[in-house]
Amino acid sequence: MFASRVPIAFALLFLSGCRMGAPVHLWKPPSLESTVGKRVAVAEVLGPKEIAGPVRRKMLALAPSDAGRQIEALAPESLAQHETIRLVSGTDEVNDLALASVARQEDVDYVLRGQVLSRRSHQEDQDEFDSAAPLAVSWRLMSVADGRHAGGRPVVVDLETARKDYPELALIADPAEALATAAAREAYRLVAPSVVRERVQIEIPYLWAGSKEVRRGNLLARNGKWGEAEQVWQKVFDQHPTQTAALHNLAIAAAAAQDFSLAKERIRRVIRRQPTPLHKQSMAWIEQQQRKYHQAFDLPDPPEGWFVTR
C-alpha cells in the first residue's frame, strides 16, 4: 500500500506547483502623496548646515524628470515674492504659513520641508562629517491650495547601503555628497512613483511535455533576462498547449512588463485548468501589483475590473 501512495504523492507535489524565485522590478506608489506634474517648493532643510545644505541642493537638482514622474522642484527664494516671505516671517527661518501664502501666488502646489534628525559627528572637539553614521531626515509635505498637511515621514540612509542601492555613488569621493544624493533620491520616493526590486515565484515543471525548455526559460528569468525567458516559454506553450507552467510563467512575465490585463487573462486560463495554490497566489499577486501601478500613476480602474482584491 505504501508503494502505491508514493506515485500519488509525487503527482500531487508536481500538480501543486514547484516554484523558484526570480527578480523583477516593479512600480511602487509614493509613500505620502503624489506630486507628479506639480510645482513643489523645497524649503530650507533644518539642521547642521554641513549636511542640511547639500541635501537641499540635491533635492533641487535631482527632481524626477522622466516620463510620468516629472516634478518641478523650486527654491522658495527664487519666487518673485521672496522678499514678502521675509517680511511676514520676521525671522531667519521661513515659517510654513508665510511660505504657503507666497507659494499660492506663484502657482506652487506643494511645500516640502525637511529636517536633519541626526548629526554626522558626535565628537565634541571638532565638527567633522562622520560617514559611518546613518543620515536621518524627516520630511513634511503641505498642500498649498488648502493648507493641508499630507503627512510626514523620516528617510534614513547609510553610506554602505546607499552605494549598494545606487552603485554610481561609488564615483562620488565626498561621503557627505554621496549621502546627500542618496537621501534626496529616497526622499522623492515619498512623493513620486519609484521602482523596487522584488522576487516573484515562477513555476518549475518536470513531468509535462516541454518541461526542460520551461526550466531553461526559468534560469533566464532568474538572471533577469525576462525578454528571452518569455520567448522560450511562448515557444513551449505554442508547441504544447497543455503546458500550464509555461502559461503561468508567461502571465508573470506580462505582469513584469506592466501588461496586467494580459497577465490576468493568462493566469485565469491557468486557474481554469489547474487551480493550484501557486496559481491562485499568482493571481492575487498580479492584481496587487496592478493596483500599486494604478495608484502610482493615478490611473482609473482597468476595463476588466478587479477580480480578487478590494
Side-chain angles (χ1 to χ4, degrees), residues 292-305:
K292 291 179 181 178
Y293 183 77
H294 279 241
Q295 293 171 5
F297 295 98
D298 195 24
L299 300 174
D301 291 348
E304 71 275 9

Side-chain angles (χ1 to χ4, degrees), residues 12-302:
L12 291 175
L13 174 63
F14 286 116
L15 288 175
S16 64
C18 298
R19 63 188 75 182
M20 66 183 292
V24 62
H25 290 86
L26 302 165
W27 284 104
K28 179 183 177 181
S31 302
L32 290 179
E33 183 168 307
S34 177
T35 62
V36 171
K38 306 296 184 180
R39 306 182 80 209
V40 179
V42 181
E44 290 187 10
V45 177
L46 304 179
K49 295 186 181 300
E50 72 274 8
I51 187 62
V55 168
R56 185 181 184 239
R57 288 194 294 272
K58 293 298 181 181
M59 289 294 295
L60 294 171
L62 298 177
S65 59
D66 48 311
R69 299 179 65 242
Q70 303 96 325
I71 295 175
E72 184 180 358
L74 305 168
E77 59 269 23
S78 70
L79 301 177
Q81 303 292 333
H82 69 279
E83 291 298 334
T84 305
I85 295 178
R86 290 298 181 195
L87 292 174
V88 174
S89 173
T91 66
D92 290 336
E93 294 181 358
V94 181
N95 63 54
D96 287 345
L97 292 177
L99 179 54
S101 176
V102 175
R104 191 177 297 110
Q105 299 177 45
E106 297 298 318
D107 294 325
V108 171
D109 300 290
Y110 290 92
V111 172
L112 184 63
R113 183 185 291 278
Q115 180 176 4
V116 176
L117 300 179
S118 57
R119 289 185 62 85
R120 303 305 90 227
S121 175
H122 300 287
Q123 303 181 36
E124 296 181 358
D125 58 341
Q126 55 184 344
D127 193 23
E128 295 180 353
F129 185 87
D130 182 4
S131 61
L135 169 61
V137 183
S138 176
W139 294 97
R140 291 187 296 118
L141 182 67
M142 183 182 68
S143 171
V144 173
D146 52 12
R148 172 180 54 86
H149 284 272
R153 185 163 298 184
V155 167
V156 182
V157 295
D158 65 85
L159 195 57
E160 181 179 358
T161 303
R163 284 177 170 165
K164 290 180 180 179
D165 294 340
Y166 306 105
E168 66 275 15
L169 295 184
L171 301 176
I172 301 177
D174 183 359
E177 183 182 358
L179 261 184
T181 301
R185 291 185 176 178
E186 290 297 316
Y188 273 116
R189 291 178 180 266
L190 302 177
V191 295
S194 57
V195 175
V196 295
R197 178 185 170 99
E198 295 185 5
R199 294 190 70 81
V200 63
Q201 299 298 313
I202 53 179
E203 191 168 1
I204 311 174
Y206 288 97
L207 298 179
W208 306 101
S211 293
K212 182 178 180 180
E213 281 299 290
V214 172
R215 296 197 299 272
R216 184 170 73 86
N218 291 0
L219 293 177
L220 290 169
R222 191 171 67 178
N223 291 324
K225 300 178 180 179
W226 281 91
E228 296 179 37
E230 188 171 9
Q231 292 178 5
V232 172
W233 296 328
Q234 187 64 61
K235 183 177 180 180
V236 172
F237 186 70
D238 291 341
Q239 296 175 349
H240 308 287
T242 60
Q243 176 55 266
T244 55
L247 185 57
H248 169 272
N249 294 350
L250 283 169
I252 299 299
Q258 281 82 54
D259 192 344
F260 296 104
S261 295
L262 176 60
K264 289 197 295 186
E265 186 273 329
R266 286 173 172 173
I267 197 63
R268 293 178 76 191
R269 288 167 60 189
V270 172
I271 291 174
R272 284 195 294 267
R273 296 180 182 183
Q274 289 184 1
T276 67
L278 172 61
H279 297 160
K280 293 177 181 179
Q281 292 168 12
S282 294
M283 176 67 190
W285 179 85
I286 288 170
E287 191 158 294
Q288 287 171 356
Q289 303 313 313
Q290 185 180 26
R291 279 195 175 275
K292 291 179 181 178
Y293 183 77
H294 279 241
Q295 293 171 5
F297 295 98
D298 195 24
L299 300 174
D301 291 348

